[in-house]
Amino acid sequence: MAENTDNNKASQEIHLEGNTYEIIQNRLNKQKGVLNDKLIQLNDARKEVFGSLETKLLSTDRINTENNSIAKDIIAIGNICIFGYNVHIGLRSITKLSDVFGIYSFKDGHFHSESLSILEDDNFIDSFTNLFKYYRDTVFVKFSVINNYLYMVFQISDNASDIKVFKWLIEDDKLTYIDDRSAHEFKYPPQHEFEWERAQRDMQQEGAHPHVSINDKVFVETIGGDLTIKIENNTDSGQGLYSEPVNNSDQTLDDAEYQFADLNNLILLKIKPYQETFRHYIYNHKVKEVVRIDTIKDAAILLPDQQGVIFSNGYYLQTGEHKIFGKSIPSMKYDKTIAAPNGEDYLFVFYNPDDGVYILMSYNIIEQTVNTPIICNGYTCFDDGTLVYFKSEKDPTKHHAVQIWQTPYSATDFVPDIDTNNYLYKIGNKNVVKAMAECYNLLNLLNKKDSYEGLYDDVMQESGDIVDSYYWINEESAFSIGQPLSEIKNIASTAIGEFEKVVQAKKEAANLMTDATQKTVALKKNIGSTRYEKIDDFIEVLASIRKLRGELITLKEQKYIDTEKLVTFDEELLESNDKISGKCVQFLTKDTS
């Protein structure tokens, strides 16, 4: 009886040891759930203390103009709006302010026409009148606010860069005209918030398949007929993680141009094959993934807290999460970023000078997602966060539909009622938001698969950093989120060794699977090409099938191997075996055998 008990214990120990990694994962999943629940509670409490403005559609209204016009832009100055448009009225010799601008107050969700008194400065009117007098093709383009100055931008020819700009000082919701000589001040911010580095000759590595080493993290080349991105420093092989054809298959490594930006886990690549234009990619060093994103050519902006990069049609995070929103609009420029006072929402604005199109992308650093982008021809935000935007009609009209949204993008001095006695108030909203954002980044890591390099090293590092960075992390009033974080750190430290074993086992299984695939393909090819003129031909092929089927059966015991694929290979070989056996019988029944 004792012997049976000992055997059972030994069996349990062996089973436990074989599933150590799975046990660790289950423990992590449990703490991940605890942390997520506590974060939800903390966020609800935070919103109660500091208030919360969710983004939602409030209403649709219309702005009415005196004449048929094409709407171009809108800007809020205090409680009024300046609406900019273009009117084409036959042979009128003088263009008036009312042919380009309308002033509207916004009350009770509706726009009401007001006088143009805010713009009736004699110097401005003279400059405005002369502009249209001497440049007959002049059209209003857009408003731009830089620091405390409003710039009215006009295009004076077919060239979008040929502009005239009127400058106003914004002060206490009033406008003071400055001059019409400030076109040089109206400029877009840097379109890439990082420096592109050009790969030098000493980064080239020679071999049968030479390539360029990018910080020893990724390896690129455009030779042999395709652009290849490799994750292994192996010049003996031309195969890589990602490849696509190039136009000139005879080019050398020196013929292409390679530029890159190293942003922690992300390597942004800018590659120009011989006699082509630049192609743009993002390589994630942790998840070993390459994505081609050509809109990076126009603009790529860093997300807050180095969470990743955003561009005019999507975003890519350090953890590998990314999203592309439909078809891109070419030649979009980065215009500005509007930070909400809640510390968690950021509005990234992109603009196309040729077509007058805006793309508004709202990013939340806690959820680490972008709302569906707003594509419009003009927008503005009031001090309370009310966002107004419109899409221009194709034909001139007197009635311009606008959508009115509630958003968190209020002015920094617009403060809701706050419970100053609450402990979270003493911590500060932005401090809580920053900690929550780091926690959700940790949760994203915990959702990663085993292919993420150094997963548990990063989990242990990030969980430890959060616990060490915030003095309030273990306070009950902050829902003790430090407790599951500490548990996650401890569990992750024990998972590192087991994780490496699993990664190694999966690599071994992948290599064995590749070998089995190659053998199966080669044998099937041999079966089809054999002429079967003598009995030895049948015997040799049938023996090869039997041998390989035996190997496939043995491989099924290998952990992490693709058993379904092995079964498919075995079934294919069994079918071939039956056909060859049948042919062999027919051969033996012939008189000439």
Side-chain angles (χ1 to χ4, degrees), residues 434-451:
K434 193 172 188 301
M436 291 183 62
E438 292 177 17
C439 288
Y440 276 105
N441 189 63
L442 176 64
L443 291 177
N444 283 338
L445 279 180
L446 290 170
N447 289 329
K448 289 297 173 188
K449 296 181 179 179
D450 299 336
S451 57

Side-chain angles (χ1 to χ4, degrees), residues 351 470 484:
Y351 179 71
Y470 302 96

